[in-house]
Amino acid sequence: MSGAGRRRLGAPWRRRRPLRTRLALAATAAVALVAVGVCTAAFFVVRSALYEQLNLSLTQSARLAARRNPDSGPDTLAGECRFLAAPACAEVVPADPANDPATPYLLPVDAATRAVAAGRHAPFYTDIVHAGHPARMLTTDYAKGRALQVALRADTVEDGIEEAARWLALIGAAGVLVAAGLGYWVSRTGLAPVTRLTATAERIAATRDPRHRIELPPPGREDEITRLAGSFNTMLGELEQSVTAQRRLVADASHELRTPLTALRTNAELLARGERLTAEQRERASLALGRQLREVTGLVNDLIELARDEEPQPLVEQVRLAPLVEHCAQAARAHWPSVPVHVRVRGEDAVVPGVPARLTRLLSNLLDNAAKFSPAGAPVEVELVSPGGGARAVLTVRDHGPGIASEDLPYVFDRFYRAGTARALPGSGLGLAMARQIARAHSAELVAEPAPGGGALFRLTF
């Protein structure tokens, strides 16, 4: 089977394994590979050291034989190496086979041996079998036209190598077992935060309660998994706030809709029995029904607008603020004829990206709110400041009404929130919440503050 085929078969297997199993196997394989590699390297080091020691003994034996027989002819110098404790075998071999002695050589002679005797080959070591036992032989130069061969039994070296191989194999196997235990421990401890995270997510999915949190270690012991758990807790906090806001919106909307719907039903039932009413009573009921329908329609439209989080990108265009402000001011003057609206533009005409209809709704809500709280004849002051050169454009809307109480200031942009002084005035309590949402969708900041000398001031910074 090709390598690509094996990879295709192995990938589904890896995907089917749990992450803990894959991590344990990876850690085990890594440690086991290191253990086996170290044992293999140690085996070759021990083997090389043992043979190096045997080679050194052969070299010393060759020097001793040459010193004892400084100019010997082709013959066997010593032949007792068939015993384990005997000295090395030694023989002199000529370059020309015609000069060989009548008795056969004790050690094997080949063409490489003749080449060393003739000076055409460097000395070398050979593993041989002598008298049925493993031996190591050195072939080196001796005199002109002659080579010296010495050999020693290699049983102790072979036994040492086998003993080292057995011990290193045991050590390698123990290393693999330890690696498996370490891999399991690493996967268990390393994935413990992930296990807690998974359990929390499953608990939230089962209970649909985002108030659960993952327990984090003390500060100073943070790692990647801890940061992931912290991010998950942050996400849960945002989800909890979103769910709470959604439930509060539904509760507030149902509360706000209950009264006008009850009034609508009452007036509709009253008009259904129109034959019992006078013409004046029918007209009054019809006017009340129409007014309540407009209020409910406006409230539903406001809720739909608040459900939008972002502006649709295809509708965004470059909007000139000065003409937009003047248009909204004209509409406010028509809707609130008793309240004068003064507009002042300073600097260059600012241009911002946005949706004209939504920005018109934002400014109209601010102007309606200011006019609603302004006494008759008291002006609403609108000022647009645009320094130009890339500086921020600032729009302020100020009224001369009772202002915003300090205890109400943090909540003026909350949905359905109405201050005590505003409960008798028309409105649903959604206008300022919608204004802030539109401002945020256009990357603008809307804040409320008490105006110097009385009244309220709303500042919109693009």
Side-chain angles (χ1 to χ4, degrees):
M1 181 181 291
S2 65
R6 286 192 295 271
R7 286 194 295 270
R8 285 194 297 269
L9 292 176
W13 183 88
R14 289 193 298 270
R15 286 194 295 268
R16 288 195 298 267
R17 299 300 94 191
L19 178 60
R20 177 178 295 179
T21 302
R22 284 182 283 163
L23 183 60
L25 289 176
T28 301
V31 178
L33 184 63
V34 172
V36 171
V38 169
C39 291
T40 303
F43 170 77
F44 284 106
V45 169
V46 171
R47 181 176 180 274
S48 176
L50 291 176
Y51 272 110
E52 185 68 25
Q53 185 177 5
L54 182 58
N55 292 342
L56 181 61
S57 298
L58 285 172
T59 303
Q60 292 175 346
S61 297
R63 290 175 181 174
L64 182 61
R67 189 165 52 247
R68 288 179 177 176
N69 305 277
D71 193 19
S72 175
D75 198 1
T76 300
L77 303 181
E80 298 299 324
C81 61
R82 62 181 181 275
F83 302 111
L84 190 60
C89 295
E91 64 185 18
V92 177
V93 180
D96 187 0
N99 298 326
D100 286 345
T103 57
Y105 289 113
L106 187 65
L107 302 175
V109 176
D110 55 14
T113 306
R114 306 289 185 183
V116 171
R120 299 190 306 271
H121 197 290
F124 61 91
Y125 296 94
T126 309
D127 291 321
I128 61 173
V129 176
H130 180 65
H133 301 287
R136 182 84 165 167
M137 181 178 69
L138 168 63
T139 302
T140 183
D141 51 345
Y142 173 67
K144 186 176 181 180
R146 286 168 290 175
L148 176 64
Q149 287 185 307
V150 292
L152 282 172
R153 287 272 298 270
D155 303 59
T156 55
V157 173
E158 297 293 334
D159 293 342
I161 291 175
E162 291 179 2
E163 185 73 14
R166 284 194 295 271
W167 278 106
L168 290 174
L170 291 176
I171 293 173
V176 172
L177 293 177
V178 172
L182 289 177
Y184 175 77
W185 178 80
V186 167
S187 65
R188 186 178 181 84
T189 57
L191 294 179
V194 177
T195 303
R196 292 195 297 269
L197 189 149
T198 304
T200 303
E202 291 174 348
R203 188 162 59 249
I204 292 172
T207 62
R208 296 183 178 274
D209 185 1
R211 291 176 297 177
H212 298 287
R213 296 293 184 272
I214 300 173
E215 183 180 355
L216 300 178
R221 297 174 55 187
E222 298 181 353
D223 53 17
E224 290 78 2
I225 300 296
T226 303
R227 289 198 295 271
L228 175 62
S231 301
F232 191 76
N233 282 343
T234 302
M235 182 187 67
L236 288 177
E238 296 292 335
L239 178 62
E240 182 182 3
Q241 291 181 5
S242 176
V243 171
T244 302
Q246 182 183 23
R247 291 173 178 172
R248 186 170 62 246
L249 174 62
V250 172
D252 292 342
S254 61
H255 175 75
E256 293 292 331
L257 285 170
R258 186 178 295 115
T259 300
L261 288 176
T262 302
L264 277 174
R265 184 176 62 184
T266 302
N267 287 321
E269 292 174 351
L270 187 62
L271 287 175
R273 296 176 296 195
E275 69 278 358
R276 302 180 184 179
L277 302 177
T278 64
E280 182 181 356
Q281 289 173 335
R282 282 196 299 270
E283 182 179 1
R284 191 164 55 247
S286 298
L287 293 175
L289 184 62
R291 184 176 63 254
Q292 290 154 2
L293 280 173
R294 287 192 298 271
E295 291 179 0
V296 172
T297 302
L299 180 59
V300 172
N301 288 336
D302 289 346
L303 289 173
I304 293 174
E305 290 289 334
L306 283 172
R308 298 171 58 181
D309 290 333
E310 297 180 355
E311 303 301 333
Q313 291 299 321
L315 301 181
V316 174
E317 57 184 84
Q318 297 298 318
V319 181
R320 296 174 58 198
L321 290 182
L324 185 68
V325 171
E326 187 58 42
H327 169 74
C328 294
Q330 289 289 354
R333 294 187 188 105
H335 191 245
W336 305 89
S338 62
V339 178
V341 179
H342 301 325
V343 178
R344 182 183 180 188
V345 178
R346 291 194 300 163
E348 302 177 5
D349 185 10
V351 179
V352 298
V355 181
R358 300 280 286 162
L359 290 174
T360 300
R361 185 64 180 272
L362 187 158
L363 298 179
S364 298
N365 286 1
L366 294 180
L367 291 173
D368 287 343
N369 181 78
K372 182 169 60 176
F373 286 97
S374 294
V380 172
E381 301 172 4
V382 182
E383 184 178 32
L384 175 62
V385 180
S386 179
R392 295 181 177 182
V394 180
L395 175 70
T396 57
V397 178
R398 177 194 173 162
D399 62 57
H400 291 271
I404 304 174
S406 57
E407 61 271 14
D408 295 328
L409 193 59
Y411 310 105
V412 292
F413 294 106
D414 289 353
R415 297 169 180 174
F416 298 107
Y417 182 80
R418 304 183 73 182
T421 57
R423 297 192 183 278
L425 298 175
S428 62
L430 295 176
L432 292 180
M434 188 184 309
R436 169 169 279 189
Q437 178 170 302
I438 297 173
R440 287 176 175 173
H442 287 79
S443 300
E445 181 183 10
L446 178 62
V447 295
E449 57 191 55
L457 185 144
F458 289 85
R459 187 185 311 276
L460 179 63
T461 304
F462 289 92

